[in-house]
Amino acid sequence: MTSPSPVGPVSTSSVLDLAPVVPVVVVEDASDAVPLARALVAGGLPAIEVTLRTPAGLDAIRAIAGAVPDAVVGAGTVVTPEQVTAAVRAGARFLVSPGWTDALLTAMQASGVPFLPGVSTTSEVVALLERGVREMKFFPAQAAGGTAYLKSLAGPLPRARFCPTGGIGPDNAPEYLSLPNVGCVGGTWMLPADAIAARDWGRVEALARSAAALR
């Protein structure tokens, strides 16, 4: 797999296709962002979703964007138009939301970067297709029906393509990745809390490499 270019736009489809797994990163200390991102990229996971769940999120995105050119860093847990603006200014190259509203979708469409709005129902998928959005986050994947639900969507809604996230780990990720309407999955299992606390970036890299080999 070649590393993504650090310059130029990234299409939503290419974000889905960069690697089988998108790490969902919750950064408590922004100083961890760069070594963590380097470990993930070295392990073969260049698309990195840094969530905005913590005060360090935007600073982490800014640091990765500036210091890890082979990473395609995105912002996750985007829930307001204001966060869309702040994330893009910080250097986010894609956006991920757990759900969507008309106002949030409008802001993401105007942002100039790819985005994955979250869905968990058929009606939400149809509404996004109606607005020209084909790539989506399926969340919370396991709680919302898992692979059985996604299989059911493939027939009537073949244009929709998903990044399932929520309750996915190395044991069930291959089943998701085998589905024709799944481009990649999101997960955190390559980022165990004890490894982050110990700043054991070698362990993170090894787990990332295993995740990258899932497909």
Side-chain angles (χ1 to χ4, degrees):
M1 189 175 95
T2 59
S3 297
S5 169
V7 295
V10 178
S11 73
T12 307
S13 292
S14 71
V15 170
L16 289 175
D17 293 334
L18 280 172
V21 180
V22 175
V24 180
V25 180
V26 180
V27 177
E28 300 290 348
D29 184 342
S31 67
D32 291 337
V34 168
L36 187 155
R38 286 175 175 157
L40 292 171
V41 171
L45 301 181
I48 301 170
E49 177 188 336
V50 177
T51 74
L52 301 184
R53 301 178 196 174
T54 68
L58 288 174
D59 286 338
I61 291 169
R62 191 174 294 109
I64 294 168
V68 192
D70 286 338
V72 179
V73 62
T77 321
V78 176
V79 295
T80 69
E82 292 76 18
Q83 287 180 322
V84 169
T85 300
V88 173
R89 286 177 177 169
R93 295 177 64 189
F94 65 95
L95 305 169
V96 184
S97 67
W100 64 277
T101 64
D102 287 334
L104 181 58
L105 183 64
T106 297
M108 289 193 293
Q109 289 177 317
S111 69
V113 301
F115 56 92
L116 297 173
V119 297
S120 60
T121 69
T122 306
S123 294
E124 291 171 319
V125 177
V126 171
L128 286 176
L129 290 173
E130 190 176 77
R131 290 162 171 80
V133 178
R134 294 183 58 190
E135 282 84 23
M136 312 165 196
K137 172 180 179 174
F138 180 56
F139 177 82
Q142 281 291 95
T147 55
Y149 195 94
L150 287 171
K151 287 177 184 177
S152 298
L153 293 181
L157 301 172
R159 291 186 298 139
R161 197 158 177 250
F162 302 95
C163 174
T165 306
I168 297 177
D171 293 335
N172 61 359
E175 185 179 1
Y176 280 95
L177 292 168
S178 71
L179 301 178
N181 55 352
V182 170
C184 62
V185 299
T188 61
W189 71 87
M190 73 297 300
L191 301 162
D194 58 341
I196 302 301
R199 293 177 168 81
D200 186 351
W201 309 125
R203 182 180 172 198
V204 171
E205 180 181 339
L207 289 169
R209 186 169 289 109
S210 295
L214 286 175
R215 183 166 57 192

